[in-house]
Amino acid sequence: MRATLLFLLACLSLPAPALAQTVAPDGRGLGTPVLTLYMKVIGGLEQQLARADAGGDAAVLDRLLSPFFELRRPHQETLAREAWMAASRARMPHPEPAMMSELSVYEVGAEAIAYFMLRDADGRTRSVVDVWVRAENDWQLRVRFEQSLTAP
Amino acid sequence: MKSQTRMLLALTCAGLMSAAHAGSVKTSDDDVYKPTGKGVGELDAAATEAVHNGLTKSGGGGANGISYHGGPLITSVSGVNVYYIFYGSWTSNQQALLTSLMMGLGGTPIFNINTSYYDGSKRRVVNAVTLKGQANDNYSLGKSLSDANIQTIVANQIQAGALPSDTNGVYFVLTAPDVAETSGFGSQYCGWHTHGTIGGADIKYAFVGNATTIAPSGCGVNNPSPNGDGGIDGMASVIYHELSEASTDPDLNAWYDRRGQENADKCAWTFGTTFKTSNGATANNTFGGKNWLLQQNWVNASGGYCTLSY
């Protein structure tokens, strides 16, 4: 787990232009895939989380967020679980849920690493890496790494 | 940090980022998708505009939750022909297992689900499957394959005469556990099907990888598994999924719903009623003298539903 977190922190610390240069999709984009079970399950949880965050739904956030959840942003910015939940509840009026796109879910040992884009209703876009861990028969979000892709 | 470690880290991060270009998760109930692109579907701009303008009705699409879009199906009276290309290192036992799957699948209640699909002339998919040929490819394009490489692997076998050119066939490129498919195998999908022009013919082909190494939980690698090889048993369900879709939507313009989901997509990772095999594995089908755990499929009748038999 520690190694995974260090790896993901290092990924987010890469400067944005370097990441942009690595975006080189295959280009053919043909066919229809059998999505992995993780795409189905984690994708569903991410959508639940986006709705709960937008709506300030404390019960759902409490279920989906690990007791040790934290949000990490560049420059050592950290937001702990309670602060994130409080910010979600305080947001008024509640915004539309952020739109998720470009989801991939990597299976790394017992953890699932989700990578995707989140676009808020106001058009701001974030690159997100989420680390989901097993919690009995379900999953909980242990840590989120996010970086704004929108110029301030 | 050593330079070698930094390079490895950068390459791995790059892979993480570039793979994100493939799939997407849809959120609008009024948008209409078609099954092109490496995701659940790709926005069909014309159809979406029609729905938004009230010209057509949104929803599952058709009375059975799936709609016909005018394209051909594989409706040959002799059924669907299948060709296997085993890419990389395979044991004879592994090849024999997947041979048994395809030798036994035709005529079964689970493949019969596909006979509920028909074309504009009411010709239906036939409940018959013939494994017409097999070939081996010893890593001719390495261990890291692109989508284009998959078509090349099929083309090479046809052009070499190892496999015939068959427009009623579905060519499966089946890869060993040490082979990557770089557009999202394991992180987005377990397999896919499409079509392309090879030697002037419209050839339908599919990719299915052994996910034992890259995504065992995400691609259904179970232990124990019905035939004692979790990777191969997991591939069996994905092969059934792709063959069902390649039969009912071979050119990606026949049967799919408004989200771009083809018949087997609608029931992915649901297995219906199961039983325990003698080795303690979970299975739901028995044919060809073996037990299998295959996903359910969507019946295009009676309002539409997922099931194991029809």
Side-chain angles (χ1 to χ4, degrees):
Chain A
M1 180 69 186
R2 181 179 167 80
T4 304
L5 293 180
L6 285 172
F7 157 70
L8 291 167
L9 279 170
C11 280
L12 282 181
S13 70
L14 287 175
L19 294 177
Q21 289 169 15
T22 66
V23 173
D26 185 83
R28 290 182 57 82
L30 296 172
T32 63
V34 186
L35 295 182
T36 69
L37 183 58
Y38 276 29
M39 282 285 284
K40 182 177 178 178
V41 172
I42 301 295
L45 292 174
E46 292 286 6
Q47 288 189 312
Q48 283 183 42
L49 184 62
R51 283 195 296 269
D53 182 33
D57 188 333
V60 174
L61 290 176
D62 189 58
R63 174 170 56 83
L64 293 178
L65 299 180
S66 151
F68 305 106
F69 169 78
E70 59 183 23
L71 170 67
R72 299 294 303 261
R73 295 191 179 111
H75 311 298
Q76 302 295 323
E77 183 183 343
T78 302
L79 198 61
R81 183 182 196 268
E82 297 310 318
W84 200 60
M85 291 176 67
S88 174
R89 282 196 302 272
R91 222 175 286 132
M92 288 293 179
H94 292 305
E96 287 292 308
M99 181 87 76
M100 181 169 50
S101 64
E102 302 179 13
L103 176 68
S104 294
V105 184
Y106 292 78
E107 192 173 332
V108 183
E111 284 111 33
I113 314 292
Y115 174 78
F116 55 92
M117 298 289 174
L118 273 182
R119 187 163 63 88
D120 295 325
D122 62 8
R124 286 182 300 178
T125 303
R126 291 165 280 159
S127 162
V128 178
V129 177
D130 275 353
V131 180
W132 291 86
V133 296
R134 295 274 188 189
E136 296 181 0
N137 293 324
D138 213 336
W139 293 88
Q140 285 189 320
L141 183 57
R142 171 65 180 84
V143 60
R144 165 169 290 188
F145 304 92
E146 73 173 30
Q147 181 173 28
S148 174
L149 300 180
T150 309
Chain B
M1 188 185 292
K2 290 180 181 175
S3 61
Q4 193 177 13
T5 309
R6 271 203 304 272
M7 176 68 78
L8 183 63
L9 178 65
L11 286 171
T12 311
C13 291
L16 199 66
M17 299 303 171
S18 62
H21 270 254
S24 62
V25 173
K26 312 305 183 307
T27 56
S28 171
D29 287 338
D30 286 335
D31 291 345
V32 179
Y33 296 84
K34 56 187 176 182
T36 55
K38 271 284 196 303
V40 177
E42 182 177 88
L43 191 67
D44 184 333
T48 298
E49 187 178 0
V51 169
H52 287 181
N53 291 337
L55 300 176
T56 58
K57 187 182 171 187
S58 179
N64 296 321
I66 194 164
S67 297
Y68 179 56
H69 294 82
L73 285 70
I74 297 181
T75 56
S76 166
V77 293
S78 60
V80 184
N81 297 330
V82 170
Y83 301 89
Y84 280 162
I85 300 168
F86 295 104
Y87 188 92
S89 295
W90 286 76
T91 67
S92 55
N93 282 346
Q94 289 175 323
Q95 293 188 353
L97 265 180
L98 293 183
T99 298
S100 296
L101 171 77
M102 210 47 75
M103 299 283 276
L105 187 58
T108 59
I110 192 169
F111 195 79
N112 198 46
I113 295 168
N114 295 307
T115 67
S116 64
Y117 294 83
Y118 48 85
D119 64 15
S121 302
K122 303 297 180 192
R123 289 176 299 212
R124 292 176 179 271
V125 172
V126 173
N127 187 10
V129 178
T130 306
L131 181 59
K132 297 274 279 191
Q134 305 181 58
N136 293 293
D137 183 322
N138 189 26
Y139 299 105
S140 67
L141 297 180
K143 294 184 176 181
S144 184
L145 304 175
S146 66
D147 294 349
N149 287 158
I150 302 302
Q151 180 167 328
T152 300
I153 289 165
V154 175
N156 287 347
Q157 294 293 341
I158 293 173
Q159 284 157 10
L163 298 176
S165 176
D166 183 351
T167 55
N168 284 321
V170 181
Y171 296 74
F172 281 89
V173 175
L174 307 168
T175 58
D178 58 350
V179 177
E181 213 288 22
T182 57
S183 67
F185 174 48
S187 63
Q188 294 186 329
Y189 60 78
C190 306
W192 49 263
H193 80 95
T194 190
H195 70 121
T197 302
I198 297 176
D202 180 36
I203 297 296
K204 294 82 180 172
Y205 62 95
F207 160 82
V208 179
N210 186 327
T212 302
T213 309
I214 195 165
S217 299
C219 289
V221 178
N222 293 320
N223 184 22
S225 71
N227 298 293
D229 187 324
I232 301 301
D233 278 320
M235 291 176 82
S237 185
V238 181
I239 290 171
Y240 168 67
H241 177 129
E242 295 303 346
L243 185 61
S244 296
E245 294 183 345
S247 303
T248 57
D249 192 27
D251 289 341
L252 315 181
N253 58 3
W255 286 94
Y256 57 90
D257 72 9
R258 68 175 177 80
R259 293 187 176 279
Q261 292 194 320
E262 298 166 304
N263 61 353
D265 291 328
K266 293 168 76 69
C267 307
W269 307 112
T270 69
F271 297 95
T273 303
T274 60
F275 59 87
K276 288 291 181 191
T277 63
S278 59
N279 68 347
T282 300
N284 60 10
N285 261 273
T286 302
F287 57 80
K290 299 185 184 304
N291 296 313
W292 309 95
L293 181 64
L294 306 180
Q295 72 154 79
Q296 297 185 105
N297 197 2
W298 188 259
V299 168
N300 182 29
S302 306
Y305 57 97
C306 291
T307 186
L308 288 171
S309 64
Y310 177 67

